Amino acid sequence: MTKFSDLNLDPKVLKAIEDAGYESPTPIQAGAIPPALLGQDVLGIAQTGTGKTASFTLPMITLLGKGRARARMPRSLVLCPTRELAAQVAENFDTYTKYHTKLTKALLIGGVSFKEQDRLIDKGVDVLIATPGRLLDHVERGKLLLTGVQVMVVDEADRMLDMGFIPDIERIFSLTPFTRQTLFFSATMAPEIERITNTFLSNPARIEVARQATSSENIEQVVMMFKASRKDREGTEKRKALRMLIDNEGEKCTNAIIFCNRKMDVDTVAKSLKKYGYDAAPIHGDLDQSQRTKTLDAFRDGSLRFLIASDVAARGLDVPAVSHVFNYDVPSHAEDYVHRIGRTGRAGRDGKAMMICVPRDEKNFDAIEKLIQKTVTRIDNPLAGKEDPAKDVQAVEAKPDHEEKPKRTRSRSRKSAPKEDVVVVVEAPAEAVEMKKEPAAPEVQKPAPKENRGRGGRGRGNDNKVVGLGDHLPGFIAMSFEERSEN
DNA sequence: AAAAAAG
């Protein structure tokens, strides 16, 4: 098997890789690093979670190791679709420039002050990591010249396309010298992406990560078919259903991302969970960047248990140990489902994805099953048979805010109360039996914060062996565009 | 139909 040490990387980069505890590159790394080091353009067709980031940061650091940056003229540029992803790439650079103390970088993202960014640009940076809007903002203010860019990376190009960034990307391409080296990554090759690569890449080495034979078997997937007793109670009852799903998982649910389709629902669900004593916080694009960063950091380091999120967190976010993903809403694009549940079961771990599906979402749900080519285990809504399911919901919700602390204990005690029996009735007998409420553990405590949450700690220190820098790739995600549209 | 990104 290939080792990093076979790849002609700068010894100082190799040392940093070793420190981070990695030996063997993932397929995308093994494929992309050699041509990148030779100065060739690279077209990488790979999803997040394949070790994609390091497949460009490692050769970039090696190439940039020689030479020095000039003021206002960065030598390389990485474009990312969201601020969080940009920040994640920046962290990746930090990890592997450990022994390149002279290499400088700047993170140019929106929502934060220009001041620090301007200062860094003026001093001269080797690596610029940016979201398109803020980057162009700097350019327009005459603070930044892209004529010195030797290496340009476009990450998550298909998501850029989804978000309408393609004109910006084209514009940024046109501001850089055409002699630059381009490393371009996309999960799929949509026609528009194909066009861009034909225009801006020259004779690229094309690396496509092998599709996994099976579809993310380490993620157990269930769906609760849910119908509110009355339309105006849907929100309340759905939130109750969510709490039941969470409580039923007990300690197996060490932490979770809960996805909603709308920002408003993200706020509502987060607020509701907090009220019920769950350790929860929201993240979406309307929140302050400082808030977003703080929340994500807390979730990463294990001090926040539930992250309630819009699709801003659906793709690419790398939190090594997320035990559960809850889809409070069925995503309206089947592909988003794949991205969302891909936040769990990472680095070879097991994960569980649970979704609530209301009647009007059934069409979207069908599309999801079609895409993943798999039947998702149904669980019934245990509230459905009740005479007045909303009654006890409202009784609790009407209560004043509860004390913060014994959330786990509380949910347990509620569960053990006869009135609140929340045994989940299971349709599919075989696999889903474990969904039934288990006898309460004698002593319930908050799950200990995980070790090895930090950078480079991915997949280490547990039983699961992880190869390379990357994580597990849910197999069906790697289907080509054509393959998917065939269905 | 909504989210994201520049304000």
Side-chain angles (χ1 to χ4, degrees):
Chain A
M1 197 200 257
T2 320
K3 295 264 195 286
F4 281 113
S5 47
D6 304 328
L7 290 181
N8 269 322
L9 290 161
D10 182 323
K12 285 192 272 187
V13 174
L14 285 175
K15 183 84 170 60
I17 295 171
E18 193 185 312
D19 289 357
Y22 299 108
E23 265 190 17
S24 307
T26 64
I28 186 77
Q29 291 159 4
I33 292 173
L37 286 175
L38 294 173
Q40 243 188 296
D41 281 2
V42 169
L43 172 56
I45 303 162
Q47 273 292 344
T48 57
T50 53
K52 181 167 52 82
T53 307
S55 75
F56 59 82
T57 56
L58 300 180
M60 280 174 81
I61 298 165
T62 299
L63 293 169
L64 296 169
K66 314 135 196 166
R68 213 183 301 125
R70 290 162 58 195
R72 266 164 254 166
M73 288 180 66
R75 299 160 67 202
S76 67
L77 170 63
V78 181
L79 289 171
C80 304
T82 68
R83 299 168 187 173
E84 278 75 13
L85 287 177
Q88 209 166 271
V89 169
E91 272 180 58
N92 198 283
F93 268 105
D94 287 341
T95 303
Y96 299 116
T97 52
K98 194 172 165 188
Y99 299 105
H100 282 91
T101 44
K102 280 184 183 148
L103 273 190
T104 54
K105 68 162 201 325
L107 178 62
L108 304 190
I109 59 174
V112 296
S113 138
F114 280 96
K115 210 174 151 195
E116 175 66 6
Q117 297 178 359
D118 282 341
R119 195 183 63 81
L120 290 170
I121 293 169
D122 282 345
K123 266 176 48 187
V125 289
D126 297 294
V127 187
L128 213 53
I129 304 147
T131 46
R134 181 54 72 97
L135 180 82
L136 286 172
D137 211 335
H138 279 284
V139 171
E140 274 155 20
R141 295 178 335 132
K143 291 283 183 183
L144 182 61
L145 277 172
L146 297 181
T147 47
V149 169
Q150 297 155 29
V151 186
M152 171 161 159
V153 178
V154 180
D155 197 9
E156 305 261 325
D158 51 342
R159 187 159 188 213
M160 303 253 199
L161 174 69
D162 289 347
M163 291 168 65
F165 280 161
I166 294 300
D168 287 347
I169 299 302
E170 292 187 81
R171 176 143 174 250
I172 294 165
F173 264 122
S174 71
L175 294 168
T176 62
F178 72 100
T179 50
R180 70 168 187 269
Q181 179 184 10
T182 309
L183 313 176
F184 192 99
F185 294 86
S186 182
T188 60
M189 287 303 287
E192 182 70 356
I193 301 287
E194 189 91 53
R195 185 184 68 76
I196 300 283
T197 57
N198 289 338
T199 312
F200 295 105
L201 273 66
S202 77
N203 193 24
R206 187 184 165 115
I207 292 90
E208 189 158 2
V209 292
R211 185 208 314 183
Q212 217 93 13
T214 52
S215 51
S216 64
E217 269 163 0
N218 59 331
I219 303 177
E220 185 189 346
Q221 302 174 51
V222 301
V223 62
M224 177 197 276
M225 292 304 178
F226 175 92
K227 191 171 188 305
S229 64
R230 270 181 15 201
K231 214 182 165 195
D232 60 313
R233 285 177 182 156
E234 187 180 276
T236 325
E237 291 179 10
K238 224 174 147 182
R239 291 192 289 278
K240 183 179 171 62
L242 172 67
R243 293 195 299 277
M244 284 182 357
L245 287 175
I246 293 170
D247 293 347
N248 263 298
E249 290 303 294
E251 281 166 82
K252 285 183 288 174
C253 179
T254 54
N255 61 349
I257 305 180
I258 300 165
F259 284 105
C260 305
N261 287 358
R262 278 167 290 264
K263 290 182 273 199
M264 208 191 66
D265 290 326
V266 170
D267 287 331
T268 312
V269 171
K271 213 172 134 195
S272 159
L273 283 176
K274 259 190 273 185
K275 193 169 86 175
Y276 279 87
Y278 296 80
D279 180 23
I283 188 164
H284 61 68
D286 280 355
L287 297 171
D288 273 5
Q289 189 55 39
S290 62
Q291 190 65 38
R292 283 164 66 167
T293 307
K294 221 179 83 193
T295 300
L296 194 58
D297 285 349
F299 188 65
R300 278 216 171 97
D301 71 23
S303 57
L304 173 69
R305 185 162 171 236
F306 294 106
L307 181 70
I308 327 301
S310 71
D311 278 321
V312 70
R315 297 203 202 186
L317 275 200
D318 184 26
V319 182
V322 176
S323 73
H324 286 64
V325 164
F326 294 92
N327 277 300
Y328 179 80
D329 294 309
V330 176
S332 40
H333 287 310
E335 301 221 345
D336 288 339
Y337 176 78
V338 177
H339 292 296
R340 287 180 181 184
I341 72 165
R343 297 313 98 209
T344 185
R346 293 175 75 70
R349 292 179 174 84
D350 288 328
K352 189 157 183 177
M354 312 187 82
M355 180 155 69
I356 302 174
C357 177
V358 300
R360 100 181 84 85
D361 287 337
E362 275 166 24
K363 261 196 167 163
N364 289 328
F365 176 66
D366 291 343
I368 288 169
E369 284 195 318
K370 213 168 161 190
L371 174 71
I372 64 175
Q373 303 189 323
K374 196 169 186 172
T375 308
V376 179
T377 308
R378 266 72 165 172
I379 50 179
D380 275 343
N381 169 21
L383 290 172
K386 289 206 176 183
E387 279 184 17
D388 189 353
K391 202 171 159 192
D392 52 7
V393 173
Q394 279 163 358
V396 186
E397 288 218 331
K399 275 193 202 167
D401 284 11
H402 303 286
E403 21 355 304
E404 279 288 300
K405 62 156 225 268
K407 53 185 165 296
R408 308 274 294 137
T409 315
R410 234 198 114 253
S411 56
R412 286 280 176 180
S413 58
R414 276 177 58 232
K415 268 165 62 175
S416 51
K419 176 176 160 263
E420 272 274 359
D421 200 357
V422 288
V423 174
V424 174
V425 184
V426 174
E427 242 180 27
E431 318 93 304
V433 171
E434 66 186 66
M435 277 303 297
K436 286 200 186 174
K437 188 178 69 167
E438 296 168 291
E443 186 77 31
V444 183
Q445 68 244 359
K446 199 180 170 192
K450 316 210 159 24
E451 335 88 58
N452 294 321
R453 280 291 191 87
R455 304 281 334 152
R458 236 188 297 169
R460 312 282 304 180
N462 72 359
D463 315 334
N464 296 316
K465 277 223 185 74
V466 178
V467 176
L469 296 154
D471 303 314
H472 173 76
L473 167 71
F476 46 92
I477 222 173
M479 276 190 278
S480 74
F481 189 72
E482 298 78 35
E483 281 168 315
R484 288 190 207 180
S485 35
E486 272 166 23
N487 298 316

